[in-house]
Structure formats: structure tokens, C-alpha cells
Amino acid sequence: MDYASFFADSLSSLHEEGRYRVFANLERVSGKHPKAMYRDPLTGQSREITVWCSNDYLGMGQNKTVQQAMAEAALDQGAGVGGTRNISGTNRLHVELERELADLHGKEAGLIFTSGYVSNLAALGTLAANLKDCVVLSDRLNHASMIEAMRWSKAEKIIFEHNDMADLESKLRRLDPERPKIIAFESCYSMEGDFAPIGTICDLAEKYNALTYLDEVHAVGLYGLHGGGVSERDQQAHRIDVIEGTLAKAFGCMGGYIAANSDIVDFVRSYASAFIFTTALPPSLTAGALQAVRHLKDSQQERLKLQERAAALKSKLRAAQLPFMMSESHIVPVLVGDARRCREASDILLEDHNIYVQPINYPTVPRGTERLRFTPGPLHTDEDMDNLVEALKATWERLSLSAAA
């Protein structure tokens, strides 16, 4: 085996396909979101750019009360917790955050993890692995972390077409009613920007004796009266068995969690190796997330402004006849349809227009649907949007890309 050639050839193929990932060297500037400083890899010089693809959807990562809570916790308790939750790693902030998240979703208990990826891997994977002869019915567009959880669990996986309830029911109908089943799906799909029909999925779960596992990572904080996500907005949270979320997007910090009844949470806590053997979140991040959750439970201002800004950007893109993919949510994808040109468009926007948006290529999205994914937030101004639209028009013309039909 020629190991060196294997790695070199594999990387070369990514370059040839236009799928090689380049990390931009960004430094966020406190109080100036969505602006950031970009450091040029060739010259080493920095310049201000506008970030258009941040998952800090509401700018809570720079909220003053969140920053203050993080700083105070670090000064009071130190940088880390000293171990896993079992070995000296549980503190008052962890307990308070789990209670706050359980309350947010109307559940008996919550459990926090180091990331949303880990929470899916640990929770969904552990449930599927331990329910004897379990089968997971998975939406075709589920996130990689859910797919990896199913793969790790070794449970049978049946994929149903995206948001296709007839297809889901046909697959449920063929299964033994007594066989353990989990329907795994997302509330808001981050690449399409559409919503799941949560109520209908719950109806099918009840009809065919299945558990429901809902990933709300792109919706918590953003939808619902208290930020409980699409399941709260649609008044369906009480029907969901396990709600999984993140602290790293609308809440602006880092971490993941689940909320469910106390037995399910305790089961995951007791059996999930990805939880048991991982060092707990540090006090600063836990305190920041706790403050962000509490703030967004009471404040509607950020959510309302987000929806207004998303609608404004869609309107401007439509008027400019740019091929944005119409979505129901705050996520605004613009179709390119080719990996190499998607990368080129991203590079041109950054180098010539000081606009940062990452190309979204395979395997994140299917080949032929490559896109730029924009996430307008409450702090993007009309001037930011006008500059973006003009830059996109110039880039589309330069690359001879297709305009909207």
C-alpha cells in the first residue's frame, strides 16, 4: 500500500472536482456583527468583510449579557470543569441549563452535550442501538450527524423521501406493529430552508407505534413564542418523544442537547458512551448558553427582525432575477448547480466585493444542486443587502451563470 499516494490522490480529486474545502481566516469583531476581519492567506493583511453565512442567526454570540455571563463564569469557576460529568465535571450551571432547556420544550428533563453533532450521535445512536431489532425511518435530507448515529447503532435504516408522508406511511405499514421504530427528522432543513410536517409525522408515529426524534438545531431560538422551535410554533412539542437542539446557532454559544421525558434522558445519560466519556462543557460556555436561552424565551425582537430581514433579502433577489431557491424559513439558498463555479463565485465575492459566503457542494447537497447559502440576520442592513445583490449580479455575469427563470 502506497499510503502517501493514496492521501495525495484523494486530495487531488477534491481539487479537480472543485470540492476542496478552504477555511477563511476570520476574526469576528465584538459589537460589529455581521462584520468581521478577513486575513488574506497570501499577504497576511486584514480587511473588513460582511459575513453572510453565519449560523449565529440572531447575533447572540455578541449579545452583551451573554458575553458578561461567560466572562463572570470563567473568572468565578476557571477555564474548564476538570472532567466528564461523572468525574467532577457537573456543576450548578449544567444543572440549571438542563432544567431551562427542558422547560423550553415542555419536557421533564434535558441533557447537554459538547455539540449538536455529539448529541445526535449519542442520543439517536444509543436509542437505536439498544432498542432490540430497532428500525430507524430517516428523512432523505437528514443531517450527517443523524446518519452517522444510525450507522454507528447498526440498526436497520429505512430512508423515506424528503417530507413525503405517503412514502413514510407506506414504509411504516410494511413493518411489524410491535417492532421498535424511530422516525428521525428535522424541523427546518438547513440546506433547503423548508419545514417538516411535524403534526402529520406525529399522527403516523401514533398510528404505527413509533418514537419520534426531532432535530430542531436550525429552529430553536428562532421559532415559537419562547424560541422552542418549529414544534413549539406548530403546537406539537408535547407529541415529540425526543427533541434535539444546539446551543451554537441561534443561542450563539457552543454545545448540543436533548429534551425528553425523564426516563429517556436518564437512559441516554446512563448508556451513551459519547456522553459518559466526554469532558463536560466549560463554565463560560454553559453560562453564556443559559443566558441566551433565558433571553430568547422572553424577547421577540430578534426573531421578528430575523424574519423581516429574510423576507427583505428574498424580495431583493427576486427583483434582481437571481436564482434563489424559495424557502419558507430564514435560510436563503441561491442555486449555482456546479461545484467548481460555486467555489469560483464564493472566491469572487470575497476577493472583489468583501462578501463572505461559503460554497455548499456535494456531499452536503446532491451533485447538480450546488449553491451559496445565505443567512440574513437581524443586524444585516439594507445597505448590506443592496451591496450583496449588486455583487451577485456582477458575479453571475462574470461566470455566465443562469439567472432565475
Side-chain angles (χ1 to χ4, degrees):
M1 175 68 181
D2 185 345
Y3 297 107
S5 294
F6 169 78
F7 296 123
D9 291 346
S10 296
L11 291 171
S12 178
S13 68
L14 290 178
H15 282 285
E16 291 172 3
E17 294 176 34
R19 296 197 294 118
Y20 182 77
R21 297 174 188 262
V22 177
F23 296 160
N25 190 338
L26 303 178
E27 181 178 341
R28 301 177 76 190
V29 182
S30 184
K32 296 191 71 176
H33 183 77
K35 306 299 181 182
M37 299 305 295
Y38 167 72
R39 187 174 297 277
D40 191 291
L42 297 178
T43 67
Q45 295 181 333
S46 296
R47 67 179 190 271
E48 186 176 86
I49 54 117
T50 304
V51 178
W52 274 100
C53 56
S54 174
N55 283 340
D56 186 0
Y57 292 131
L58 301 177
M60 291 300 294
Q62 298 188 16
N63 178 280
K64 293 300 181 184
T65 63
V66 172
Q67 291 177 315
Q68 183 178 356
M70 293 181 72
E72 289 176 356
L75 291 173
D76 290 345
Q77 298 191 38
V81 294
T84 65
R85 292 288 296 275
N86 185 55
I87 304 175
S88 78
T90 295
N91 66 27
R92 171 184 57 82
L93 292 168
H94 294 135
V95 175
E96 289 186 15
L97 179 57
E98 287 170 344
R99 288 174 178 167
E100 201 74 42
L101 291 166
D103 179 72
L104 175 65
H105 295 292
K107 301 298 182 185
E108 294 176 351
L111 190 66
I112 55 175
F113 301 83
T114 51
S115 73
Y117 191 104
V118 172
S119 56
N120 269 335
L121 184 64
L124 180 57
T126 298
L127 291 170
N130 285 275
L131 287 166
K132 187 177 180 181
D133 195 28
C134 180
V135 56
V136 183
L137 296 105
S138 172
D139 188 286
R140 182 170 292 281
L141 296 187
N142 275 342
H143 189 263
S145 57
M146 301 173 80
I147 296 169
E148 185 61 26
M150 297 172 225
R151 183 183 296 120
W152 174 86
S153 74
K154 295 184 171 59
E156 181 183 356
K157 177 179 69 174
I158 297 176
I159 297 173
F160 62 91
E161 294 305 317
H162 177 55
N163 279 348
D164 187 331
M165 296 299 95
D167 188 46
L168 173 58
E169 181 163 21
S170 72
K171 289 174 167 59
L172 284 165
R173 190 182 296 117
R174 292 196 291 267
L175 297 170
D176 183 340
E178 296 305 313
R179 185 179 180 187
K181 296 174 284 292
I182 301 173
I183 303 174
F185 64 107
E186 301 182 38
S187 62
C188 177
Y189 288 86
S190 62
M191 293 301 130
E192 308 298 315
D194 58 352
F195 297 121
I198 297 177
T200 305
I201 291 175
C202 289
D203 291 342
L204 292 174
E206 292 167 4
K207 181 177 179 180
Y208 293 98
N209 190 29
L211 291 175
T212 46
Y213 185 99
L214 174 62
D215 179 314
E216 283 263 34
V217 297
H218 290 278
V220 289
L222 306 176
Y223 298 92
L225 182 61
H226 304 97
V230 180
S231 58
E232 182 192 25
R233 184 200 68 179
D234 294 354
Q235 299 182 334
Q236 299 295 316
H238 64 286
R239 304 177 70 192
I240 300 293
D241 293 298
V242 181
I243 294 176
E244 183 268 345
T246 184
L247 305 169
K249 293 183 171 62
F251 296 127
C253 294
M254 179 180 175
Y257 68 89
I258 61 167
N261 70 42
S262 56
D263 282 347
I264 289 177
V265 169
D266 200 18
F267 179 87
V268 173
R269 184 189 71 87
S270 300
Y271 283 89
S273 59
F275 172 80
I276 295 168
F277 299 106
T278 298
T279 299
L281 284 173
S284 57
L285 287 172
T286 310
L290 179 60
Q291 175 58 32
V293 172
R294 287 173 172 168
H295 175 87
L296 290 175
K297 273 186 173 181
D298 295 330
S299 175
Q300 299 297 322
Q301 177 182 345
E302 293 84 359
R303 281 189 283 277
L304 293 173
K305 187 65 174 178
L306 173 77
Q307 296 302 325
E308 184 275 326
R309 293 284 77 192
L313 180 59
K314 292 172 187 177
S315 177
K316 290 176 184 290
L317 291 172
R318 184 183 297 108
Q321 294 188 306
L322 286 161
F324 77 99
M325 302 164 66
M326 191 60 198
S327 70
E328 308 167 81
S329 70
H330 58 286
I331 294 166
V332 185
V334 175
L335 183 66
V336 177
D338 177 84
R340 185 175 296 281
R341 293 204 289 176
C342 197
R343 173 79 263 173
E344 290 174 351
S346 173
D347 290 343
I348 291 169
L349 288 168
L350 181 59
E351 296 305 322
D352 295 355
H353 303 281
N354 295 321
I355 287 170
Y356 176 66
V357 59
Q358 266 289 354
I360 307 296
N361 293 330
Y362 177 85
T364 306
V365 295
R367 297 181 193 275
T369 68
E370 292 83 0
R371 66 200 66 176
L372 301 175
R373 173 184 174 272
F374 296 93
T375 54
L379 301 177
H380 282 105
T381 65
D382 284 338
E383 182 181 4
D384 291 332
M385 293 188 182
D386 290 338
N387 290 339
L388 171 64
V389 170
E390 289 305 312
L392 285 171
K393 287 166 63 178
T395 302
W396 250 242
E397 182 176 354
R398 178 171 166 181
L399 295 177
S400 300
L401 293 170
S402 298

